[in-house]
Amino acid sequence: MFASPDDFSRAETLHKELNRHNHLYYVLDAPEIPDAEYDRLFAELVELERKYPELQSVDSPTQRIGAPPLPEFSEFAHRAPMLSLNNAFSDEEIEAFDRRIRETLDTHAIEYNMEPKFDGLAINLVYEQGVLVAGATRGDGSTGENVTANLRTVNAIPLRLNAPHPPEFLEVRGEVLMLRKDFELLNASQREKGEKTFANPRNAAAGSLRQLDSRVTAQRRLSFFAYGWGTAAGVTLPLTHSAMMEQLAAWGFPLTQLRATGIGVEGLLRYYRQIGEQRDSLPFDIDGVVYKVNSLAQQTTLGFVSRAPRFAIAHKFPAQEAMTEVLDIDVQVGRTGAITPVARLNPVFVGGVTVTNATLHNEDEVRRKDVYIGDTVVVRRAGDVIPEVVSVVPDKRPATARAFVMPTICPVCGSHIVKSPEEAVARCSGGLYCSAQRKQALLHFASRRAMDIEGLGEKLVDQLVERELLHTPADIYRLTMEQLASLDRMGEKSALNLLAAIEASKNATLPSFIYALGIRNVGEATAKDLSYHFGTLENLLQAGAEDLTAVSEVGEVIAQSILQFLAEPHNREVIRQLLAAGIHWPVVEKLSSTQANLSGKTFVLTGTLPGMSRDEAKSLIEGQGGKVSGSVSRKTDYVVAGAEAGSKLEKALELGITVIDQDQLIALIEQSKQQD
Ligand code: IVH
């Protein structure tokens, strides 16, 4: 049986529709139909093509599901070579780059196209008469591996250009990568299946793309961003790189929203700092930014040196990963008694600082990553995150390497280390008896975002605990001049200052007091949620499980932690003593209702918030129906500014937009929740 003209036209309609919905979903992030409807259309096409294989074509959306495995990848010669970029690490190198270009072109100011440097895999896509016919990795720049079947499974890559008169021949250059969230999901699923996990999103993307069985690739969520082109025949090129990028977008290619143009070296460096600030909160890894002279005519004049263009340069961010040796693995006892294995490292410069320790999280993690003392490991430090051991370099394991043995006794107080089946961490059972926990509980209590007792730092707490002068936070308020003066390196002046700081800390706020108590799982944000919800400490002290879980953002786990803490008579006694010492706070203020309800409100986050990451702030806002945008405009309702807020804050002030801080944001959110 052959397909009828009706079947042909139905298959063609389905083709077009599915490709259009695919583009709406994966490239524009703006689906028009529910997933189930897409699946229904897809199933209809699969059935038609099964009945009449002659209806199947290379750009059919059904081709995205993968093909039978290949014995090996074939070689693929790129029509135009895939070049590399020169790297720059300092502002001076960028100044020199711009100066050279101005001198060569004999002009005053250059317009640059600026974009992130994606940390993925470079890919060449070949379109003939608008249809994807091949795709390959970069390889040595001239010849790569033919990974066409795998690339067809990447939903963001158009199988056919959206153009009535496509170019005869077109090479599109871009990067295949894995979003951080998809990387986390993949690793979680690999772990569940007992299969090997990937060290970072780049490795995961490479591993997924270089599968001989493209059906495996189809199961992985890969993304793609175009950043350039190679040979383009049968099309008139526009005048600038950015205009050509717009042309690629019109043909259906995904581009990053982070592209911009800028003038002169000031424009470049401003962009570098802006993107650097956002680096940790982006959905994907980047390792720098790329500047390209925008005018294609100027690019041609500048030309190339060996295999890199003179018109472009990569301005790299500090590397977030480095290799070093594990000198030892020991354990640290946390404030809550958590026992964390820590790798002591040969000092290494990574993420902008010298790192000597990296966390191994817990015993399971040490085994899973198979880290031995003596191993060479990859260490990662991203943003303010605690440095961690990512993976071992197996080839470098010396014969003398030894396995780590988890202690059974707390190294600080000698109590047993216990491990409950529900959690991965082991804990010291010593509680306040364990001076590690006592010291850290006291340090936490005195810390800036808790009771803010200036001068009560680590060395002093160590001494006070060791001399048995401090057992609980309430003891802080009983310290006398005489006791303080007896300590090492404590003059009369510093003793007086400390007493004054202790006195001043009595003037507290309810959220900082709750946070200072050091209840497990109650961070600053939760302490604020609790304060705004209950209004007074008495209400919180009387709350039952149901009252607690009624606070949005407070689930079973946090509620249990609070109840367990308050069930200890000893903890209630400390609270009583603290209040008796004179700690007090102003009545918790509620915002007027006109300021609440975040739906339809647009927020812009800038700078570092003291108690939450950008992602946390974003999800809090979105949880209440608000929107978070990357740039300030007249449409912005609030700019949430933290430490070192830069140009966005300036712009907000210029436009007269309301600027709030983290506390005001939390208050807004609490208020909005209570209206729900
Ligand atoms: S342009 C002629 N733009 O960097 C210039 N490359 O060293 C060709 N890369 O492996 C490259 N993001 O995969 C360009 N926005 C971007 C990029 C980018 C990442 C990678 C590319 C290549 C390497 C070049």
Side-chain angles (χ1 to χ4, degrees):
M1 258 247 297
F2 294 103
S4 70
D6 276 359
D7 293 328
F8 265 101
S9 98
R10 180 62 186 156
E12 202 182 304
T13 309
L14 286 169
H15 246 168
K16 281 205 187 121
E17 273 301 278
L18 285 164
N19 278 334
R20 193 172 71 83
H21 288 303
N22 203 60
H23 181 249
L24 284 167
Y25 189 95
Y26 288 102
V27 180
L28 304 181
D29 229 351
E32 273 177 12
I33 54 170
D35 293 359
E37 178 60 12
Y38 181 93
D39 295 343
R40 201 188 59 70
L41 295 173
F42 193 88
E44 187 186 341
L45 181 60
V46 169
E47 180 54 21
L48 259 179
E49 290 181 354
R50 192 192 58 77
K51 264 176 60 194
Y52 312 113
E54 68 267 31
L55 295 181
Q56 213 177 71
S57 62
V58 285
D59 69 320
S60 168
T62 61
Q63 300 305 297
R64 292 193 186 275
I65 54 178
L70 301 169
E72 59 177 0
F73 294 120
S74 57
E75 286 194 345
F76 186 92
H78 304 298
R79 175 95 58 108
M82 292 183 77
L83 302 167
S84 55
L85 289 170
N86 289 322
N87 289 326
F89 296 89
S90 68
D91 291 3
E92 292 70 39
E93 287 170 273
I94 298 305
E95 279 157 17
F97 163 76
D98 176 63
R99 193 178 327 112
R100 262 194 320 271
I101 290 177
R102 278 186 289 112
E103 282 168 9
T104 312
L105 297 176
D106 198 15
T107 10
H108 288 300
I110 303 292
E111 182 182 71
Y112 292 99
N113 182 88
M114 310 177 292
E115 47 204 56
K117 185 166 193 299
F118 305 101
D119 199 2
L121 278 91
I123 287 298
N124 185 23
L125 298 170
V126 181
Y127 291 84
E128 281 175 12
Q129 309 299 343
V131 176
L132 176 71
V133 293
T137 60
R138 176 169 182 273
D140 62 7
S142 313
T143 311
E145 280 176 325
N146 185 330
V147 286
T148 312
N150 304 34
L151 287 169
R152 280 191 207 291
T153 72
V154 178
N155 287 295
I157 294 179
L159 298 175
R160 178 189 281 277
L161 302 185
N162 176 23
H165 305 291
E168 267 156 49
F169 184 91
L170 175 72
E171 287 177 311
V172 172
R173 305 284 163 78
E175 199 95 342
V176 162
L177 49 84
M178 191 175 279
L179 300 184
R180 289 173 177 161
K181 69 171 173 18
D182 293 330
F183 163 71
E184 298 298 340
L185 287 174
L186 172 61
N187 265 357
S189 124
Q190 293 287 101
R191 224 168 274 145
E192 210 162 275
K193 288 191 269 180
E195 287 173 19
K196 109 173 200 321
T197 55
F198 296 95
N200 55 41
R202 206 200 94 84
N203 288 4
S208 302
L209 194 65
R210 298 193 63 265
Q211 289 284 336
L212 289 169
D213 188 343
S214 54
R215 291 168 301 195
V216 176
T217 313
Q219 302 304 313
R220 306 278 171 85
R221 292 161 182 265
L222 290 171
S223 300
F224 175 79
F225 289 105
Y227 57 65
W229 64 97
T231 307
V235 60
T236 315
L237 290 184
L239 297 179
T240 60
H241 179 89
S242 41
M244 182 62 177
M245 295 310 287
E246 293 306 327
Q247 174 63 266
L248 291 179
W251 282 334
F253 292 95
L255 306 183
T256 168
Q257 299 291 319
L258 301 169
R259 284 172 308 124
T261 55
I263 303 210
V265 77
E266 298 76 24
L268 299 181
L269 298 181
R270 194 177 315 126
Y271 180 76
Y272 180 77
R273 312 231 188 287
Q274 259 171 17
I275 300 293
E277 256 183 45
Q278 295 176 46
R279 183 184 189 188
D280 293 324
S281 53
L282 294 178
F284 47 80
D285 283 0
I286 61 175
D287 55 355
V289 294
V290 180
Y291 311 134
K292 300 169 185 169
V293 170
N294 205 16
S295 151
L296 299 186
Q298 290 182 335
Q299 286 193 1
T300 310
T301 311
L302 289 160
F304 304 87
V305 237
S306 66
R307 300 192 62 77
R310 277 204 196 87
F311 57 78
I313 199 162
H315 193 179
K316 302 287 283 276
F317 292 133
Q320 293 180 320
E321 288 187 2
M323 246 163 49
T324 188
E325 290 101 37
V326 177
L327 304 177
D328 200 359
I329 300 178
D330 53 27
V331 298
Q332 243 169 24
V333 191
R335 180 169 64 79
T336 57
I339 305 282
T340 311
V342 176
R344 306 290 171 201
L345 306 169
N346 214 350
V348 61
F349 192 72
V350 57
V353 299
T354 300
V355 167
T356 49
N357 302 316
T359 179
L360 283 158
H361 300 291
N362 55 59
E363 191 182 3
D364 292 348
E365 190 85 353
V366 180
R367 305 285 169 238
R368 197 171 59 72
K369 289 185 175 152
D370 191 29
V371 184
Y372 275 44
I373 298 159
D375 268 343
T376 294
V377 291
V378 176
V379 177
R380 181 178 174 87
R381 180 184 180 270
D384 292 335
V385 188
I386 301 170
E388 62 165 358
V389 172
V390 178
S391 58
V392 169
V393 185
D395 293 352
K396 295 200 174 229
R397 174 168 294 172
T400 52
R402 310 177 268 130
F404 161 72
V405 183
M406 184 74 171
T408 53
I409 298 289
C410 170
V412 175
C413 73
S415 305
H416 283 101
I417 290 176
V418 291
K419 191 167 175 298
S420 75
E422 304 98 71
E423 46 172 20
V425 291
R427 289 179 193 280
C428 162
S429 57
L432 270 180
Y433 167 74
C434 174
S435 61
Q437 293 172 67
R438 198 190 307 158
K439 280 179 192 167
Q440 295 195 46
L442 289 163
L443 276 173
H444 171 77
F445 183 86
S447 66
R448 196 168 53 75
R449 301 206 297 268
M451 299 303 283
D452 193 14
I453 308 180
E454 211 187 315
L456 191 52
E458 212 167 315
K459 293 213 174 80
L460 208 49
V461 166
D462 278 355
Q463 281 196 62
L464 290 165
V465 167
E466 266 140 39
R467 295 188 185 205
E468 302 279 334
L469 291 172
L470 285 188
H471 295 92
T472 78
D475 295 335
I476 296 172
Y477 296 91
R478 288 190 270 269
L479 288 171
T480 63
M481 183 66 200
E482 227 170 41
Q483 291 172 330
L484 289 178
S486 74
L487 300 176
D488 300 345
R489 271 177 297 163
M490 172 70 84
E492 192 179 334
K493 180 126 195 287
S494 359
L496 277 173
N497 284 344
L498 181 59
L499 285 177
I502 292 172
E503 192 55 32
S505 76
K506 292 181 181 170
N507 215 340
T509 68
L510 179 55
S512 61
F513 182 76
I514 295 175
Y515 173 63
L517 293 175
I519 305 169
R520 188 179 304 164
N521 299 316
V522 178
E524 234 186 325
T526 307
K528 283 182 180 140
D529 284 342
L530 292 166
S531 304
Y532 291 113
H533 184 92
F534 289 109
T536 65
L537 181 67
E538 293 70 41
N539 289 345
L540 172 63
L541 294 181
Q542 281 159 21
E546 271 180 26
D547 306 318
L548 288 168
T549 47
V551 183
S552 19
E553 310 300 326
V554 172
E556 284 298 322
V557 175
I558 300 182
Q560 277 315 310
S561 299
I562 298 170
L563 291 174
Q564 278 165 10
F565 181 89
L566 294 175
E568 290 285 333
H570 150 92
N571 289 331
R572 289 205 179 238
E573 176 57 22
V574 172
I575 294 175
R576 196 193 62 73
Q577 292 180 13
L578 288 169
L579 297 179
I583 293 176
H584 61 280
W585 46 80
V587 173
V588 174
E589 252 181 66
K590 304 213 166 189
L591 288 180
S592 72
S593 59
T594 48
Q595 281 175 279
N597 190 5
L598 308 190
S599 87
K601 298 273 187 263
T602 303
F603 289 71
V604 172
L605 304 170
T606 178
T608 313
L609 299 181
M612 59 176 89
S613 69
R614 278 189 189 219
D615 282 351
E616 280 165 338
K618 185 161 182 265
S619 70
L620 280 176
I621 293 167
E622 289 170 350
Q624 290 305 305
K627 256 185 37 197
V628 175
S629 152
S631 57
V632 179
S633 73
R634 288 187 197 284
K635 291 195 194 131
T636 310
D637 294 290
Y638 295 100
V639 168
V640 187
E644 281 162 359
S647 58
K648 288 184 196 168
L649 177 57
E650 275 169 33
K651 179 123 189 237
L653 296 173
E654 211 174 279
L655 297 177
I657 287 156
T658 312
V659 176
I660 59 174
D661 63 13
Q662 176 186 285
D663 290 8
Q664 288 167 308
L665 171 66
I666 291 172
L668 260 181
I669 285 167
E670 257 323 294
Q671 187 69 27
S672 141
K673 278 178 198 159
Q674 283 166 15
Q675 296 205 324
D676 283 352

